[in-house]
Amino acid sequence: MIRVCVQYNEYDAIASFDMRGHAEAGPHGQDIVCAGVSAVTIGTVNAIHTLCDVDIVTDMTDAGGHLMCRVPEGLTPRTYEDVQLLLKSMVLSLQAIADVHQAYMTVEIDRR
């Protein structure tokens, strides 16, 4: 099962997300849940880098199954808003996938 945990900061903004596990919803290379989750998360990280010119802090295992991303400090207010919009869109997409494929993934929201 893929577990995505999205952590918000005290200002109700997304501070980081951590994705772990494998969906195992199909054979390797044919797992649509894994493909969808990977496309959404990696696409978001790439969009933040390309569109916002921000190198989001990432940690990922070579074998797959783990991706952690954290929003860096020191962004301008406009860039921070743009990064937040992309991350919020990512969360909505992941929740939509989880709603349809509950047996293979969950999205947890951590509002401290």
Side-chain angles (χ1 to χ4, degrees):
M1 175 174 283
I2 296 172
R3 292 183 55 181
V4 181
C5 181
V6 182
Q7 292 191 334
Y8 285 74
N9 63 22
E10 63 272 16
Y11 306 107
D12 203 34
I14 297 172
S16 66
F17 72 90
D18 188 82
M19 179 179 68
R20 295 178 184 269
H22 295 280
E24 298 181 14
H28 182 72
Q30 298 177 13
D31 186 335
I32 62 167
V33 176
C34 180
V37 171
S38 295
V40 168
T41 54
I42 293 171
T44 299
V45 171
N46 289 339
I48 290 169
H49 176 74
T50 302
L51 300 174
C52 302
D53 197 27
V54 170
D55 290 324
I56 195 162
V57 179
T58 60
D59 181 25
M60 148 168 91
T61 60
D62 291 334
H66 179 241
L67 172 64
M68 185 285 304
C69 295
R70 181 174 44 83
V71 176
E73 295 181 12
L75 301 177
T76 66
R78 171 59 194 238
T79 300
Y80 189 77
E81 288 176 15
D82 290 346
V83 169
Q84 287 299 306
L85 183 61
L86 290 167
L87 289 171
K88 288 174 185 177
S89 175
M90 177 196 76
V91 171
L92 289 173
S93 295
L94 292 174
Q95 287 173 325
I97 294 170
D99 286 346
V100 174
H101 299 285
Q102 296 174 9
Y104 303 108
M105 78 168 290
T106 62
V107 178
E108 301 168 11
I109 304 298
D110 181 5
R111 295 183 192 272
R112 294 180 179 206

